[in-house]
Amino acid sequence: MALLPIIEYPNPHLRVVTSPVAAERVADPAFQKLLDDMLHTMYEAPGIGLAAPQVDIMDRFLVLDVSEERDQPMVMVNPVIRERSDELRVHQEGCLSIPGVFADVTRADGIEVEALDREGRSFVLRADGLLATCIQHEIDHLDGKLFIDYLSPLKRSMALKKLEKARRRA
Ligand code: GNR
Ligand code: NI
């Protein structure tokens, strides 16, 4: 398995709206290897999710695992959020593409998402809590959006200063 390089803000590739994956491509051994490499990269980072654009692939898929034991890998190809609860939830988010920056983001507490799994089969998942937060964060990446986009101008500039500071330390 390969560790894939993660691109970081302000790389403009993080702002690209990704293209759907052709259903036939899911079975392709090269695509399956990519999924394994992304899961490996996510676990090594470590992160609870990773979207294709973060490894410089402009296609519509993501991997995630929000379990404590880190033993429940999930793959979503061409995910679409079909429903969002009115109930909101605030969670302190971070992003592997914006290292060292953490900020509260408000999102729907519950969602219903439809996607293809790694066998190319369609499934519908109802998620809430951290899983729902993570799925929304990852799907945003597929639409060229980042969690800092939700912050007020003041909080965003504070966050980006922290990023610069973290980079100077690194
Ligand atoms: O590892 C991650 N943690 C996280 C915490 C709160 C909300 C979202 C996330 S996703 C992030 C990994 C990442 O950048 N995925 O795109
Ligand atoms: Ni992210």
Side-chain angles (χ1 to χ4, degrees):
M1 260 187 289
L3 263 185
L4 306 174
I6 296 176
I7 63 171
E8 295 184 1
Y9 180 91
N11 188 319
H13 292 187
L14 292 170
R15 296 309 193 173
V16 173
V17 177
T18 54
S19 308
V21 177
E24 313 82 67
R25 186 177 162 216
V26 179
D28 189 326
F31 188 78
Q32 292 288 315
K33 177 178 189 306
L34 203 47
L35 294 175
D36 288 335
D37 289 347
M38 279 183 57
L39 282 162
H40 179 58
T41 302
M42 174 190 78
Y43 286 124
E44 282 297 310
I48 60 173
L50 189 67
Q54 296 182 276
V55 292
D56 217 359
I57 296 167
M58 299 303 125
D59 296 327
R60 212 158 176 85
F61 65 97
L62 59 89
V63 300
L64 58 93
D65 186 343
V66 301
S67 70
E68 293 276 331
E69 310 287 335
R70 316 282 290 148
D71 60 356
Q72 285 168 54
M74 287 185 62
V75 167
M76 293 187 186
V77 177
N78 301 336
V80 177
I81 296 179
R82 302 205 311 190
E83 247 179 67
R84 295 170 196 266
S85 65
D86 293 331
E87 197 180 327
L88 302 176
R89 158 189 162 88
V90 180
H91 190 85
Q92 181 172 275
E93 299 198 9
C95 182
L96 295 171
S97 296
I98 317 175
V101 172
F102 303 90
D104 283 353
V105 177
T106 303
R107 301 184 187 270
D109 179 51
I111 57 168
E112 188 178 285
V113 60
E114 182 171 4
L116 302 181
D117 65 17
R118 70 177 300 163
E119 274 80 51
R121 288 180 299 233
S122 174
F123 69 97
V124 173
L125 175 72
R126 292 183 76 97
D128 61 12
L130 180 61
L131 179 58
T133 293
C134 184
I135 292 170
Q136 290 171 88
H137 175 114
E138 301 312 336
I139 291 179
D140 271 356
H141 276 299
L142 303 182
D143 292 324
K145 290 190 208 139
L146 300 171
F147 81 94
I148 53 170
D149 300 345
Y150 297 101
L151 307 181
S152 68
L154 177 66
K155 285 204 168 141
R156 188 177 319 124
S157 82
M158 281 165 35
L160 295 175
K161 274 183 197 139
K162 271 188 208 148
L163 175 65
E164 285 311 313
K165 234 178 155 177
R167 278 188 180 144
R168 280 200 298 272
R169 271 197 301 272

